[in-house]
Amino acid sequence: MSMHTSIATVCLSGTLEEKLRAAARAGFDGVEIFEQDLVVSPDSPEAIADLARELGISLDLYQPFRDLEGVDKAQFQKNLTRAETKFRLMARLGIDTILLCSNVGTATMTDDGVVVEQLRRLGDLADSYGVNIAYEALAWGRFVSEYDHAWDLVKAADHPRIGTCLDSFHILSRNTDLSRIAEIPGEKIFFLQLADAPALTMDVLSWSRHHRVFPGEGAWDLSDFLTRIAATGYAGPVSLEVFNDSFRQGDTNRTAVDGLRSLRWLEASIADTIAAPTGSASAAEPAGPSTALDLQPLPEVEEPRGINYVELSTDDLGALTRQMHQLGFQFIGFHRSKPHVQLWLRGEARIIVSEVTDGVGTGADAGGTSSTSADEAGTTSAPVNGTFLRGIGFEVTDSRSAMERAALLHADEVPRDQAHNDEVLRGVFAPDGSEVFFHQFEKATPAWIQEFGHDHDEQVSHIDHVNLAQPSNHYDEAVLFYTSLLALHAEPSQDVPSPSGLVRSQVMSSTDGSVRMPLNVSPQPHAEAVAGRGIGSVVEAYPEHVAVACEDIFHAAATALSRGLDFLPVPQNYYEDLDSRFDLAPEFLQQLQENHILYDRDEHGQFLHFYTSTIGSVFFEMIERRGDYRGFGAPDAPVRLAAQHRKNAQLSAQNAQMSGQQG
Amino acid sequence: MSMHTSIATVCLSGTLEEKLRAAARAGFDGVEIFEQDLVVSPDSPEAIADLARELGISLDLYQPFRDLEGVDKAQFQKNLTRAETKFRLMARLGIDTILLCSNVGTATMTDDGVVVEQLRRLGDLADSYGVNIAYEALAWGRFVSEYDHAWDLVKAADHPRIGTCLDSFHILSRNTDLSRIAEIPGEKIFFLQLADAPALTMDVLSWSRHHRVFPGEGAWDLSDFLTRIAATGYAGPVSLEVFNDSFRQGDTNRTAVDGLRSLRWLEASIADTIAAPTGSASAAEPAGPSTALDLQPLPEVEEPRGINYVELSTDDLGALTRQMHQLGFQFIGFHRSKPHVQLWLRGEARIIVSEVTDGVGTGADAGGTSSTSADEAGTTSAPVNGTFLRGIGFEVTDSRSAMERAALLHADEVPRDQAHNDEVLRGVFAPDGSEVFFHQFEKATPAWIQEFGHDHDEQVSHIDHVNLAQPSNHYDEAVLFYTSLLALHAEPSQDVPSPSGLVRSQVMSSTDGSVRMPLNVSPQPHAEAVAGRGIGSVVEAYPEHVAVACEDIFHAAATALSRGLDFLPVPQNYYEDLDSRFDLAPEFLQQLQENHILYDRDEHGQFLHFYTSTIGSVFFEMIERRGDYRGFGAPDAPVRLAAQHRKNAQLSAQNAQMSGQQG
């Protein structure tokens, strides 16, 4: 047993039947029926109740009932009649609790006494139908907009059928003091709804109706919130009510899994700090808060220690490995049992290159390659052509525990061939279709390197960060994925201008910066359609890159130049602007320009870097951090994006010309 | 000569070169160079100046310069040095005016005296470079955030090189009293920037950076604003500065045309109310405000009197005309010179049906069919298969003038074959690719009806409204298009829930309601890609419909039923909910349900309607308005959308099964 998880049907896309099936398939225990979903459904209430029974999920709440209280007698009588029709409907559905929202539209009486009396009368009516009323303060309620006001009214009504509903959005969006939650006895909380939200400054109604996200995908501390609820003794459903424009149009099964993951993660995040009810707890344990919620932990995961390797898939092996050679990577060897997989090293920066020819997958490598890739629904499809970032190996303190946790968080495992004497590696698909592998952290060179017949490279170099392209409709899901599976943190997002629109960039990182992944949402509309790797996917619209840290960027650039690297060009105007922004010595500026190196500075240090041209949907960045510079050269990103845009335009023009000559 | 139009390069997508070419091609007189666009450009300042000269456009402003004033002496000295590098750069560009934004980040001194002195010193430096400083209060400036404060500072500085820049966004977003604009002498306004914006309640910085739109596309009264500026004697550029996420990623030529249209429309809207300078005005004219802006009017257009006809294109003639027959439309005849074009009437509701077979266009009809259709770039392409709404004929008081106006507003004319004795009809493409034709309003039956050999129909019926699907990335453009070409008004938009996401619906209408067009933006991501009609276009994702008003909906439904109409099904749950919402007589409710009729009511009247199934991307709605009901049955739209969703899902399943059986 675990806590009873539930989700409002309004969170999901599709028909009511599709929503119920998706919730059940994802593993929810129940759903809230949103009235509108029922009204537009061709299925009778009885048929919906039967379907829920068949699917093994409960119908936990009927919602919403609006604009009941704080009205004059004549209107109240009409409202009671309206309520009665809902109670009859609920009986047909087999639902015993209804959400009553504080009056937004029709309330004319500010007197709490009137409201208390009307709640009591509603309670009497509800009692005759066996219905419980969960009264909730909407953040934009006319006279009742704070949870503690609603609780005061419920307390004063003192009716067994009248309780309160607490919704994290309505409470946290108003920044209300949470301390009075502790005053509410758990049994008077008739329902609990959770939503997270990004920190936006806008009217609370629009914020609520369009921008809610699942716990862990926004800016709020839902762990603290749920801890406070748990401490009241609340034992009912923990339900998601998230109005989100993207979720409403997304794949319903996928959204449901995303939602359940958020609850499992949240549950586990507080399971260790809250003891079970004293009856079942050991007497030796300290007397922390106890709870009637049966909170289940997950296998622990610590922040990753680093990026063990990046795997690139390519159908243009010559071009890719030539570029890596130019960057100072050394060819180490082919995998002993996977003939199309090779390893390249530059110090501790490890790149696995797996060749794909004509759409035929060529076997998994030691670093985790599968012969499949995730499509939109998380199922598998055939290998794809192109050069793209296939996956990342993360160094974790306990790889077995990380994989168990990932599975319990409903991540799809990457199918993988494994030779009997290779290191056992397991991984899952990220929301963008890339593969995430869990490597046991070792201080020495990783064991799997031996599978390539490696002798050690002496260069001081490592993977500094990996930039991933994200489909915009799975962006929130990605944040929760990396937070819940890998304990990474989301930094505030930034908008970066490009010639084709604003790129939203959000860094996910570990506290010490040993893992850094900027997630980029491209503005290209067609990039929304497909999550996944390779041709036709989101990475086509926005190339991804691996940033390699080195000790001496000028030396790296000189080597690259001597080996004929195709640097991404940096305009003269950039260097002139740099000169006006920073007081750089003329020789240094010239040295930067001669080496195609871009420059940034903050109060902690300096950042020097250059980019390569793009092969398929991948390019490299070579960087040198001086001092304690924390960023990624964000002021330089528009320069890169513009240069890549020009390059693409040139290629398009050349292709058009060539096909014209052929035609 | 007309007023000098300009546009900031930040409004447009692409490289700086592409932006300049797009601005020139659309017909702008000049541009503002946004610094970032120059920094990322491979072209030198001299090359940009040469390009502008070659294109025949002026470089009107360099922008922005930030965080100069209100700082201590040491910092100010550094800021002057920074300014000097910009002045040198401007000399290379040949630009003589720079935008100085009020300090946002570094100001520490609240004393206006310090700012005045620093402006004066900047003015002295600027003078040695022949540069003018246009000082602008940003709405989020640290100490200077109001236009009149900025003007007080400029006035006190009293320096020939220091003037102010007025930006409608920064002024109207703060809701500042506009009366003090009249105090500013026109020659001290060094620059004028215009932007409109939707009425949003959010932090002003996000509002400004993401949601600005061109004049006529938002909620503000830019005519009043420009009138006030014109009255000061301002004679400089009227420039658009619009940060908009969609424009930044849209087709740059198309956005430029949209922008110029907004300025031409705005100019014309005030041209009649503001006299030319007294020197050139006739002595007999009343002494209204005069202006140094040479404001050019456009041919007048009044609101349309009605929808003359709707044209549907089809490759499924039998299914479409059968449905029209079921709805009580009468076949009138084939066009005398266009053999594949026929006319159907129901009272004054006129539907032209043009058959397209296997992608071969079949000649234009009297109502305005061309043999081409607009693609994304506004150019023409081959005819397309499918059943779709091809165009609308609007009744206007002066069709010649309306067409001239449309041409001056840069709308693309629909190419059209014209038989020598047919009525001369001209039209243009709307942003969604549909055709807009201008018909001379006549009280009697339109003359072109004779071309089909018509005898008059006695039914009382007309086209009540037409619902169009809009690609979301051309939504603002569509609002301006219908506003500026047809004098329609935008009503506040609504979000309608559907199983695949929220549909944004905005009604464009004439004041008396004789023309009503809800524009709907579908949530389907792929619907963003293509504007246009037929297969692969936005209308695939969201069907469009023609709503026909009748006198007796029950009679119409009975006729339709007896003729075998495939009604869109309405669920039982809907009628039960209707019963709880409205106190309807049981017999009436039953009558509604038996006839598949939906019902709505407001304080003005009642709305009864039913829908047909969809053919291609078109369906019909039959409606009866009782009393003075103004709406469109918005509460019923989710019912329709859900039913259409289910129908599509059934069809997909059937198709999958059929292809499975065949395979």
Side-chain angles (χ1 to χ4, degrees):
Chain A
M1 260 301 283
S2 183
M3 69 183 194
H4 183 98
T5 55
S6 191
I7 185 168
T9 54
V10 75
C11 305
L12 301 168
S13 66
T15 64
L16 184 54
E17 185 189 329
E18 288 163 352
K19 293 171 188 221
L20 262 55
R21 289 189 186 281
R25 184 176 149 175
F28 281 95
D29 301 310
V31 299
E32 303 174 25
I33 297 286
F34 198 72
E35 180 166 277
Q36 177 103 69
D37 286 323
L38 182 68
V39 169
V40 305
S41 170
D43 300 321
S44 69
E46 291 80 4
I48 294 298
D50 287 346
L51 176 62
R53 206 170 300 117
E54 181 193 311
L55 293 170
I57 55 173
S58 54
L59 301 180
D60 297 324
L61 185 80
Y62 187 81
Q63 72 130 313
F65 192 83
R66 297 190 191 279
D67 295 343
L68 173 106
E69 81 290 12
V71 298
D72 65 31
K73 280 187 182 170
Q75 185 59 51
F76 184 68
Q77 203 50 54
K78 282 186 194 164
N79 292 350
L80 279 186
T81 307
R82 186 160 55 90
E84 202 163 4
T85 66
K86 302 302 171 193
F87 296 163
R88 286 201 201 97
L89 182 62
M90 288 166 66
R92 296 169 63 196
L93 285 160
I95 301 182
D96 65 6
T97 305
I98 187 169
L99 180 72
L100 171 66
C101 300
S102 62
N103 197 320
V104 170
T106 63
T108 53
M109 317 233 176
T110 56
D111 181 1
D112 278 359
V114 172
V115 175
V116 167
E117 179 53 32
Q118 291 181 341
L119 286 177
R120 216 174 270 148
R121 284 195 53 202
L122 179 68
D124 289 344
L125 180 66
D127 190 52
S128 63
Y129 288 89
V131 164
N132 298 313
I133 310 289
Y135 182 55
E136 170 184 68
L138 295 187
W140 53 91
R142 184 171 284 189
F143 300 126
V144 179
S145 57
E146 298 281 9
Y147 81 92
D148 50 351
H149 187 186
W151 161 238
D152 287 338
L153 295 166
V154 165
K155 190 178 176 190
D158 190 24
H159 193 290
R161 290 294 183 181
I162 303 290
T164 190
C165 170
L166 297 182
D167 179 322
S168 63
F169 184 88
H170 292 294
I171 299 170
L172 300 178
S173 66
R174 293 185 64 101
N175 214 8
T176 313
D177 175 17
L178 303 181
S179 61
R180 290 199 62 207
I181 290 176
E183 292 177 23
I184 313 175
E187 67 273 14
K188 290 304 277 184
I189 302 175
F190 280 10
F191 210 75
L192 172 64
Q193 293 176 321
L194 296 183
D196 200 345
L200 299 174
T201 308
M202 65 192 309
D203 70 288
V204 68
L205 182 59
S206 302
W207 193 17
S208 171
R209 291 282 166 82
H210 301 286
H211 300 286
R212 293 187 185 201
V213 286
F214 293 131
E217 297 176 350
W220 290 337
D221 186 352
L222 271 303
S223 296
D224 172 67
F225 185 81
L226 185 55
T227 300
R228 289 169 186 271
I229 305 293
T232 66
Y234 176 72
V238 178
S239 187
L240 298 167
E241 190 195 30
V242 169
F243 303 88
N244 179 291
D245 290 357
S246 288
F247 296 170
R248 284 179 104 128
Q249 68 189 69
D251 176 89
T252 193
N253 286 309
R254 190 163 172 165
T255 305
V257 166
D258 187 23
L260 191 67
R261 178 179 297 152
S262 76
L263 285 183
R264 286 279 163 256
W265 166 77
L266 186 63
E267 178 184 22
S269 75
I270 66 169
D272 293 331
T273 57
I274 302 184
T278 44
S280 64
S282 144
E285 276 181 36
S290 73
T291 177
L293 293 174
D294 184 14
L295 299 170
Q296 296 297 315
L298 287 168
E300 282 288 337
V301 64
E302 288 174 22
E303 293 184 2
R305 306 294 189 90
I307 290 177
N308 188 286
Y309 71 89
V310 168
E311 178 179 359
L312 305 177
S313 189
T314 187
D315 61 359
D316 195 356
L317 187 66
L320 180 63
T321 53
R322 178 162 182 260
Q323 195 174 72
M324 290 170 59
H325 170 70
Q326 290 162 338
L327 290 173
F329 277 86
Q330 295 178 19
F331 169 75
I332 301 303
F334 281 89
H335 191 268
R336 60 187 173 201
S337 62
K338 291 154 189 159
H340 292 84
V341 176
Q342 46 186 273
L343 172 66
W344 290 70
L345 294 189
R346 191 183 201 282
E348 296 183 340
R350 303 172 197 104
I351 307 279
I352 289 164
V353 178
S354 56
E355 189 181 14
V356 176
T357 321
D358 287 332
V360 179
T362 49
D365 69 282
T369 300
S370 74
S371 55
T372 56
S373 157
D375 72 7
E376 180 77 3
T379 57
T380 57
S381 58
V384 284
N385 282 333
T387 298
F388 58 90
L389 194 154
R390 185 165 197 154
I392 301 176
F394 293 91
E395 293 182 349
V396 295
T397 44
D398 184 342
S399 61
R400 176 184 295 267
S401 156
M403 186 62 205
E404 277 174 26
R405 181 181 171 98
L408 288 167
L409 287 168
H410 297 263
D412 287 321
E413 182 164 3
V414 177
R416 182 166 180 272
D417 298 330
Q418 183 94 36
H420 72 285
N421 57 346
D422 292 346
E423 185 186 347
V424 177
L425 281 175
R426 294 173 69 192
V428 295
F429 288 111
D432 64 4
S434 66
E435 299 168 1
V436 166
F437 273 82
F438 304 107
H439 283 259
Q440 188 67 41
F441 173 70
E442 304 157 86
K443 287 219 169 122
T445 303
W448 63 265
I449 298 270
Q450 303 309 320
E451 296 162 18
F452 291 88
H454 169 244
D455 59 314
H456 197 60
D457 170 25
E458 293 309 318
Q459 291 185 85
V460 177
S461 191
H462 64 276
I463 293 175
D464 182 86
H465 61 275
V466 182
N467 273 49
L468 295 173
Q470 300 295 309
S472 70
N473 49 344
H474 296 301
Y475 175 78
D476 299 308
E477 184 185 347
V479 169
L480 175 62
F481 177 88
Y482 292 111
T483 304
S484 61
L485 271 76
L486 281 165
L488 294 179
H489 308 287
E491 296 177 15
S493 72
Q494 278 193 300
D495 288 326
V496 180
S498 88
S500 9
L502 293 179
V503 175
R504 181 176 171 191
S505 182
Q506 159 135 36
V507 177
M508 300 293 306
S509 65
S510 58
T511 307
D512 67 359
S514 58
V515 171
R516 295 186 255 225
M517 292 195 300
L519 306 181
N520 299 289
V521 180
S522 152
Q524 301 295 341
H526 66 272
E528 308 212 3
V530 187
R533 306 278 108 181
I535 287 174
S537 77
V538 64
V539 300
E540 283 258 307
Y542 189 90
E544 304 186 305
H545 80 269
V546 181
V548 179
C550 66
E551 272 195 316
D552 183 346
I553 189 92
F554 290 107
H555 183 260
T559 303
L561 201 62
S562 71
R563 294 180 181 183
L565 179 73
D566 186 15
F567 286 87
L568 192 77
V570 184
Q572 168 74 19
N573 294 341
Y574 168 79
Y575 291 103
E576 294 181 10
D577 182 62
L578 207 56
D579 196 26
S580 83
R581 282 160 57 211
F582 303 116
D583 201 18
L584 301 177
E587 316 78 57
F588 182 65
L589 191 67
Q590 193 186 337
Q591 204 186 0
L592 291 177
Q593 186 164 5
E594 282 170 4
N595 288 286
H596 311 279
I597 294 173
L598 299 96
Y599 178 85
D600 192 30
R601 195 163 76 192
D602 65 13
E603 63 274 36
H604 306 293
Q606 299 170 83
F607 188 68
L608 294 88
H609 58 142
F610 65 82
Y611 301 106
T612 70
S613 61
T614 302
I615 298 172
S617 62
V618 174
F619 65 97
F620 290 93
E621 181 183 5
M622 186 65 70
I623 75 168
E624 182 190 335
R625 291 177 186 271
R626 295 181 178 180
D628 196 23
Y629 180 94
R630 307 272 173 84
F632 300 86
D636 300 335
V639 177
R640 163 172 77 78
L641 291 164
Q644 290 174 333
H645 173 90
R646 291 194 301 271
K647 194 97 175 187
N648 284 343
Q650 279 168 16
L651 288 176
S652 300
Q654 281 170 13
N655 288 342
Q657 206 182 1
M658 280 177 63
S659 62
Q661 286 169 351
Q662 289 167 354
Chain B
M1 264 299 285
S2 184
M3 70 182 194
H4 183 96
T5 55
S6 192
I7 185 167
T9 53
V10 75
C11 305
L12 302 168
S13 66
T15 64
L16 184 54
E17 185 190 329
E18 287 164 351
K19 291 170 188 220
L20 261 55
R21 289 189 186 281
R25 183 175 149 175
F28 281 95
D29 301 310
V31 298
E32 305 174 26
I33 297 286
F34 198 72
E35 182 166 273
Q36 176 105 68
D37 286 323
L38 182 67
V39 168
V40 305
S41 170
D43 300 322
S44 69
E46 291 80 4
I48 294 298
D50 286 347
L51 176 62
R53 207 171 299 119
E54 181 194 309
L55 294 170
I57 54 172
S58 54
L59 301 180
D60 297 325
L61 185 79
Y62 187 82
Q63 72 129 315
F65 193 82
R66 297 190 191 277
D67 295 343
L68 175 105
E69 81 289 13
V71 297
D72 66 30
K73 280 185 183 172
Q75 184 61 48
F76 184 67
Q77 203 50 52
K78 281 186 195 164
N79 292 350
L80 279 187
T81 306
R82 186 161 56 92
E84 203 163 2
T85 66
K86 303 301 172 194
F87 296 163
R88 287 202 201 97
L89 181 62
M90 289 166 67
R92 296 168 63 194
L93 285 160
I95 301 181
D96 65 6
T97 305
I98 188 170
L99 179 72
L100 172 66
C101 300
S102 62
N103 196 320
V104 169
T106 63
T108 54
M109 318 236 175
T110 56
D111 181 1
D112 278 359
V114 171
V115 175
V116 167
E117 179 53 31
Q118 291 181 340
L119 286 177
R120 213 173 274 149
R121 284 194 54 201
L122 179 68
D124 289 344
L125 180 66
D127 191 52
S128 63
Y129 286 90
V131 164
N132 297 313
I133 310 290
Y135 182 56
E136 172 184 68
L138 295 187
W140 53 90
R142 183 170 286 188
F143 300 127
V144 180
S145 58
E146 297 280 8
Y147 81 91
D148 50 351
H149 188 186
W151 162 237
D152 288 338
L153 295 166
V154 165
K155 191 178 176 192
D158 190 26
H159 193 290
R161 291 293 183 182
I162 303 289
T164 190
C165 169
L166 297 182
D167 179 321
S168 63
F169 184 89
H170 292 293
I171 299 170
L172 300 177
S173 65
R174 293 185 63 101
N175 213 10
T176 313
D177 175 17
L178 302 181
S179 62
R180 290 198 62 207
I181 291 175
E183 291 176 24
I184 314 175
E187 66 272 15
K188 291 304 278 184
I189 302 174
F190 281 8
F191 210 75
L192 172 65
Q193 294 176 320
L194 297 182
D196 200 346
L200 299 175
T201 308
M202 65 193 309
D203 70 290
V204 69
L205 181 59
S206 303
W207 194 15
S208 171
R209 291 283 166 82
H210 301 285
H211 300 286
R212 293 187 184 202
V213 286
F214 293 132
E217 297 176 349
W220 290 337
D221 187 351
L222 272 302
S223 298
D224 172 66
F225 186 80
L226 185 55
T227 300
R228 290 170 186 270
I229 306 293
T232 65
Y234 176 72
V238 178
S239 187
L240 298 167
E241 189 195 30
V242 170
F243 303 87
N244 179 291
D245 291 357
S246 288
F247 297 170
R248 285 181 104 127
Q249 68 189 68
D251 176 90
T252 192
N253 287 307
R254 190 162 173 167
T255 305
V257 167
D258 186 24
L260 191 68
R261 178 178 296 152
S262 77
L263 285 183
R264 287 279 162 257
W265 165 76
L266 186 64
E267 178 184 21
S269 76
I270 66 169
D272 293 332
T273 57
I274 302 184
T278 43
S280 64
S282 145
E285 278 182 32
S290 73
T291 178
L293 293 173
D294 185 13
L295 299 169
Q296 297 296 316
L298 287 168
E300 283 287 337
V301 64
E302 290 174 20
E303 292 183 3
R305 305 294 190 90
I307 290 177
N308 189 285
Y309 71 89
V310 168
E311 179 181 358
L312 305 177
S313 190
T314 186
D315 60 0
D316 194 358
L317 188 66
L320 180 64
T321 53
R322 178 162 182 262
Q323 194 173 71
M324 291 170 59
H325 170 71
Q326 291 163 337
L327 290 173
F329 277 87
Q330 295 178 18
F331 170 75
I332 301 302
F334 280 89
H335 190 267
R336 60 187 173 200
S337 63
K338 290 153 190 158
H340 292 84
V341 176
Q342 47 186 269
L343 173 66
W344 290 71
L345 293 189
R346 191 182 201 284
E348 295 183 342
R350 304 173 197 105
I351 307 279
I352 290 164
V353 178
S354 55
E355 189 182 13
V356 176
T357 322
D358 286 334
V360 178
T362 49
D365 68 282
T369 299
S370 73
S371 55
T372 56
S373 159
D375 71 6
E376 179 79 1
T379 57
T380 57
S381 59
V384 284
N385 283 331
T387 297
F388 57 91
L389 194 153
R390 184 164 200 154
I392 302 176
F394 292 93
E395 294 183 347
V396 296
T397 45
D398 185 342
S399 62
R400 176 184 296 267
S401 157
M403 186 62 205
E404 278 174 25
R405 180 181 172 97
L408 288 167
L409 287 169
H410 297 262
D412 288 321
E413 183 163 2
V414 177
R416 182 168 179 270
D417 299 329
Q418 183 92 38
H420 72 285
N421 58 349
D422 292 347
E423 185 185 349
V424 177
L425 281 177
R426 294 174 69 192
V428 294
F429 289 110
D432 64 5
S434 66
E435 298 168 2
V436 166
F437 273 83
F438 304 107
H439 283 258
Q440 189 66 42
F441 173 69
E442 305 158 89
K443 288 218 168 117
T445 303
W448 63 264
I449 298 272
Q450 303 308 320
E451 295 162 19
F452 290 87
H454 170 244
D455 59 315
H456 196 63
D457 171 24
E458 294 308 320
Q459 289 184 89
V460 177
S461 192
H462 65 275
I463 292 173
D464 182 86
H465 61 275
V466 181
N467 274 47
L468 295 173
Q470 301 293 308
S472 70
N473 48 344
H474 296 300
Y475 175 79
D476 299 308
E477 183 186 347
V479 169
L480 176 63
F481 176 89
Y482 292 111
T483 304
S484 62
L485 270 76
L486 281 165
L488 295 178
H489 310 285
E491 296 176 16
S493 72
Q494 278 193 300
D495 288 326
V496 181
S498 87
S500 7
L502 293 178
V503 174
R504 180 176 171 190
S505 181
Q506 159 134 37
V507 177
M508 301 293 305
S509 65
S510 59
T511 307
D512 67 0
S514 58
V515 171
R516 294 186 257 225
M517 292 194 301
L519 306 181
N520 299 289
V521 180
S522 152
Q524 301 295 342
H526 67 272
E528 307 212 3
V530 187
R533 307 277 108 182
I535 288 173
S537 78
V538 64
V539 301
E540 283 257 309
Y542 189 91
E544 305 187 305
H545 78 270
V546 182
V548 179
C550 66
E551 273 194 317
D552 182 346
I553 189 90
F554 291 105
H555 184 259
T559 304
L561 202 61
S562 71
R563 293 181 182 182
L565 179 72
D566 186 16
F567 288 85
L568 191 76
V570 184
Q572 167 76 15
N573 294 342
Y574 168 80
Y575 291 103
E576 294 181 8
D577 182 63
L578 206 57
D579 195 26
S580 83
R581 282 160 56 210
F582 304 116
D583 201 18
L584 301 177
E587 316 77 56
F588 182 65
L589 191 66
Q590 192 185 339
Q591 205 186 1
L592 290 177
Q593 185 164 5
E594 283 170 1
N595 289 285
H596 311 278
I597 294 173
L598 299 96
Y599 177 86
D600 192 32
R601 194 164 76 191
D602 65 13
E603 62 273 37
H604 307 292
Q606 299 169 85
F607 188 70
L608 295 88
H609 58 143
F610 66 82
Y611 301 105
T612 70
S613 61
T614 302
I615 299 171
S617 61
V618 175
F619 64 97
F620 289 93
E621 180 182 6
M622 186 65 70
I623 74 167
E624 183 190 334
R625 289 177 188 272
R626 295 181 177 178
D628 196 22
Y629 179 93
R630 307 272 173 85
F632 301 86
D636 301 335
V639 177
R640 163 173 77 77
L641 290 164
Q644 290 173 334
H645 172 90
R646 291 194 301 272
K647 195 95 175 190
N648 284 341
Q650 280 167 15
L651 288 176
S652 299
Q654 281 169 14
N655 288 341
Q657 204 182 1
M658 280 178 63
S659 61
Q661 284 167 352
Q662 287 167 357

